[in-house]
Amino acid sequence: MKGNTVATDKPLGSEAAPASPQQQQQGQPQVQIDDSRAQSLYSNFCRVTGTPEELIIDFGLNSQPSGTPTEPIAVTQRVITNYYTAKRLLHVLQMTIERHEGTFGAVETDVQRRVQRT
């Protein structure tokens, strides 16, 4: 996937400052990413369930985003992860949204409030 991404060549949630050229020469490992087989899908629906060991995050497309859908929402992608990775994901998503809101303004999740603004 190309374009705007949050991912870096560091593990998810890594907060370390970028390594200086001198530190890189001392053997700081670099994580290689191969996203050549990644699939991009759009989702406006998410459901999170879990077990004591794992989180299950389902993504799908709600074709009726306002009101209660009358048709079933087809789940097209499922991510199963552990709580450690989920917490790192939560942290990096929070930082990314804060950065976005700092540049572009608040992201309003209440549809009714968004409609009233326009």
Side-chain angles (χ1 to χ4, degrees):
M1 287 177 8
K2 303 288 183 215
N4 296 333
T5 61
V6 176
T8 65
D9 289 341
K10 295 179 238 161
L12 182 60
S14 174
E15 297 178 41
S20 69
Q22 186 178 26
Q23 288 173 325
Q24 289 178 354
Q25 291 175 356
Q26 293 178 1
Q28 289 267 338
Q30 293 293 316
V31 176
Q32 298 295 316
I33 306 293
D34 176 9
D35 61 359
S36 62
R37 294 184 287 161
Q39 297 179 5
S40 298
L41 299 170
Y42 177 77
S43 173
N44 64 357
F45 171 82
C46 177
R47 174 183 64 186
V48 179
T49 56
T51 70
E53 293 86 21
E54 300 168 324
L55 280 177
I56 301 162
I57 310 166
D58 292 331
F59 295 95
L61 182 63
N62 178 3
S63 61
Q64 301 169 320
S66 59
T68 303
T70 57
E71 299 175 13
I73 298 171
V75 170
T76 54
Q77 296 291 310
R78 175 171 286 158
V79 175
I80 303 169
T81 187
N82 60 56
Y83 283 91
Y84 302 100
T85 301
K87 191 166 185 176
R88 289 190 294 268
L89 175 61
L90 172 67
H91 181 71
V92 75
L93 286 174
Q94 184 67 43
M95 288 185 345
T96 303
I97 291 170
E98 288 172 0
R99 189 176 316 128
H100 177 85
E101 288 182 328
T103 303
F104 300 104
V107 174
E108 180 57 63
T109 57
D110 183 337
V111 176
Q112 296 304 316
R113 287 185 178 171
R114 284 198 313 254
V115 172
Q116 291 173 0
R117 286 187 187 178
T118 58

